[in-house]
Amino acid sequence: MILSVSGVVLLGVIVFLFFRKDGLKLSHAVVCSLFGFYLAGTAAAPSIEAGGASLANLLGGITL
């Protein structure tokens, strides 16, 4: 649950920055949000979530 909340916040910040700096139109942001919302209800959602968790584990294991 913590990973998904932080992931949503991170992606929300990225979308906001694209909206403010790179000319992302509000309609594009709405379409992307709806796509993500409906994608979460499909059979592909567990695979996407597992891939995100794997990526988070990979990035978390990097030491500088």
Side-chain angles (χ1 to χ4, degrees):
M1 180 66 176
I2 300 290
L3 178 63
S4 63
V5 171
S6 62
V8 167
V9 171
L10 176 65
L11 291 174
V13 168
I14 291 171
V15 168
F16 177 76
L17 290 175
F18 282 161
F19 179 70
R20 296 292 293 165
K21 301 290 181 190
D22 292 337
L24 177 71
K25 294 181 181 178
L26 182 61
S27 60
H28 296 154
V30 169
V31 168
C32 289
S33 298
L34 289 173
F35 175 70
F37 178 76
Y38 287 115
L39 184 64
T42 66
S47 299
I48 295 170
E49 187 174 353
S54 176
L55 180 62
N57 288 334
L58 177 70
L59 294 176
I62 295 175
T63 57
L64 297 176

